[in-house]
Amino acid sequence: MIVDAIPPQAWIALPLAVSALAPAAYVWRYFTHDLTPRDITLPPEDLTWKSVRHLLFCLALLTGLLAIGGFAFTEWAENFARSEWLAPAFLGAIGSYALGTVVPGWRNGEIEPLIRGSFKSYSRGEQPKRYWASLIWNGAIGLAFTASSFGTLYGNTKPACDDNGNEKELFEAVATCNAMLADHDLDVEKRAELLGDRGRVHHRLGNNHLALLDYSKAIELEPGDSYALFNRALIHRELRDLPNAIKDLDASLALWPENDRAYLERGLANLDYGRFEKAVEDFTLLDNLVPDHPYALANRGLAYAWMDDELNAQDDFRRVGKNQPGWVVVLHGKAVLARNRQKHRESIDYLSQALEIDPDDYFALRLRADAYWEIGEKDLARDDDDRSIALAAED
């Protein structure tokens, strides 16, 4: 997701920058005000906004924000930015500051409204209407942000039926899902949604058969749920039930034809199933939808390689950079092309490069074992066979 790609420090730096706008504007205005020539024929200017006390306050605030900004690039701050405490802390800080202006404002009879660009204070005796309006405004902002802080914190800490969190939290999520599904008054749409949510939790926990059962129940209730169909297809593919995976992806794409990941998953399922022409069609659709998609190009090239279409395969491989995602698939494809030409040592070289990137590359181990058998390197072949069998047993 796009949100996940944003550096966590940005979530701290953004509110700091917003908080710094008003004090920075005041400091700038304070020091640059006298630099601008003023027409002496104009009436005397109101300089009540210009206060040394407020200037010092703004400078201190900016110094504090700058210090926090530096702290934001520490590891602790990164963990905090990714935690459930960031939003409540930010909202609570604003709320506390706003409420903190109300009490002294009530006692002193003078308050400054929390309005962007406003640096004036209003007195209860001299400007009662503006004073009371400012007092109510600051109090309302403080209460709203404080309530939002507690509400967000409650929402973050309340058990939820979702697949976020660590293993312990996922088990708690299953219990929450079970409790919510026990409600016999749920409507069909909500029950289907909860079943899909529990299916994702089961999937995260590695309970694929339970996930499959939940997705199937959700689809029975809501046959038009493209997300549930897509997610069930992923389970089918992991369980090597490729025909049903393709069937669910067909149905999901009929409902949601813009889902680029579904084209990738269906192409991979067709590739694993040996339907190379269909795989080429899917990867081509993905490439049209997302031009120069590295996985579309690399896997289409691999499909062409299995079809012994070296010209189209090499054309796709050339469009994938060495450091791009999908490069391992390019190495697989080049190995298949070499294998087709009985160039087994060249094939072994490509597969060895792939295994340097991912030592647990099952495809590379199986294909390299076959190549070693072809050239009579029996010990190396048995070693790759043993490693691939061990990986298959783990899965």
Side-chain angles (χ1 to χ4, degrees):
M1 295 179 65
I2 294 175
V3 172
D4 296 329
I6 299 175
Q9 290 84 358
W11 296 113
I12 297 177
L14 180 61
L16 292 178
V18 173
S19 303
L21 285 176
Y26 181 85
V27 172
W28 175 262
R29 184 184 180 195
Y30 188 95
F31 286 112
T32 60
H33 176 266
D34 294 333
L35 299 178
T36 305
R38 190 170 183 277
D39 190 342
I40 60 175
T41 62
L42 293 175
E45 185 179 5
D46 180 11
L47 296 176
T48 55
W49 63 268
K50 202 169 184 183
S51 163
V52 174
R53 179 183 174 186
H54 193 72
L55 173 67
L56 293 175
F57 170 77
C58 289
L59 289 172
L61 183 59
L62 289 172
T63 302
L65 291 173
L66 186 61
I68 296 173
F71 162 77
F73 290 89
T74 64
E75 183 179 353
W76 191 94
E78 180 174 348
N79 294 333
F80 177 72
R82 294 187 184 279
S83 74
E84 61 191 18
W85 296 97
L86 176 64
F90 176 58
L91 294 171
I94 297 176
S96 299
Y97 176 75
L99 290 175
T101 65
V102 173
V103 175
W106 170 263
R107 290 178 178 174
N108 302 332
E110 186 173 330
I111 192 168
E112 179 183 316
L114 296 177
I115 302 174
R116 182 184 175 189
S118 174
F119 307 104
K120 291 184 178 181
S121 296
Y122 298 112
S123 169
R124 183 164 48 205
E126 298 177 1
Q127 299 163 301
K129 290 184 178 179
R130 293 188 176 184
Y131 166 81
W132 287 110
S134 300
L135 192 76
I136 294 170
W137 171 255
N138 287 10
I141 289 178
L143 289 173
F145 275 91
T146 303
S148 298
S149 174
F150 283 110
T152 304
L153 183 61
Y154 175 75
N156 288 346
T157 55
K158 180 182 177 182
C161 180
D162 59 42
D163 60 336
N164 298 319
N166 54 35
E167 186 176 18
K168 179 183 176 182
E169 291 167 331
L170 290 173
F171 279 115
E172 292 174 354
V174 171
T176 301
C177 296
N178 293 341
M180 296 173 76
L181 285 165
D183 183 357
H184 297 293
D185 295 327
L186 288 173
D187 60 35
V188 171
E189 184 179 355
K190 184 61 179 178
R191 185 171 295 278
E193 180 185 341
L194 286 172
L195 285 166
D197 291 339
R198 190 173 67 178
R200 284 194 296 276
V201 179
H202 281 314
H203 189 198
R204 281 280 315 277
L205 287 169
N207 301 325
N208 283 340
H209 291 286
L210 292 175
L212 188 64
L213 185 62
D214 276 340
Y215 287 135
S216 296
K217 289 179 179 178
I219 292 166
E220 285 178 14
L221 295 173
E222 290 284 336
D225 188 344
S226 64
Y227 293 98
L229 286 163
F230 175 78
N231 287 330
R232 189 172 70 173
L234 298 183
I235 304 296
H236 280 314
R237 186 162 172 260
E238 287 186 21
L239 296 174
R240 308 307 297 168
D241 185 357
L242 299 176
N244 277 319
I246 293 169
K247 180 180 177 182
D248 276 349
L249 288 166
D250 287 343
S252 179
L253 280 166
L255 296 164
W256 184 19
E258 298 82 17
N259 184 3
D260 56 333
R261 191 180 167 196
Y263 290 109
L264 176 62
E265 293 294 338
R266 191 173 67 180
L268 292 172
N270 279 317
L271 191 60
D272 291 344
Y273 201 36
R275 304 191 342 170
F276 303 125
E277 293 85 356
K278 289 290 185 182
V280 167
E281 289 178 14
D282 281 329
F283 296 133
T284 300
L285 287 168
L286 175 56
D287 185 46
N288 292 336
L289 196 63
V290 185
D292 296 323
H293 192 297
Y295 285 115
L297 296 170
N299 282 289
R300 187 173 66 181
L302 178 59
Y304 280 133
W306 281 118
M307 295 164 64
D308 203 16
D309 184 347
E310 184 167 2
L311 184 64
N312 280 316
Q314 293 289 13
D315 183 56
D316 278 342
F317 294 155
R318 277 191 291 270
R319 294 170 62 189
V320 181
K322 190 171 183 179
N323 296 320
Q324 276 188 290
W327 179 248
V328 168
V329 181
V330 171
L331 293 171
H332 291 173
K334 288 178 178 289
V336 170
L337 289 175
R339 176 178 177 270
N340 293 342
R341 302 290 179 267
Q342 302 297 310
K343 297 179 180 180
H344 298 298
R345 293 197 179 277
E346 184 179 332
S347 178
I348 289 169
D349 180 59
Y350 286 126
L351 296 168
S352 297
Q353 291 180 51
L355 286 163
E356 286 178 8
I357 298 172
D358 180 9
D360 294 333
D361 186 336
Y362 178 83
F363 179 92
L365 286 169
R366 291 297 309 131
L367 212 62
R368 193 172 70 171
D370 292 344
Y372 278 136
W373 284 114
E374 289 290 340
I375 62 175
E377 297 281 358
K378 297 180 181 180
D379 291 338
L380 293 173
R382 289 192 187 96
D383 183 54
D384 279 354
D385 278 337
D386 291 342
R387 288 172 62 188
S388 63
I389 291 169
L391 286 173
E394 289 177 8
D395 292 339

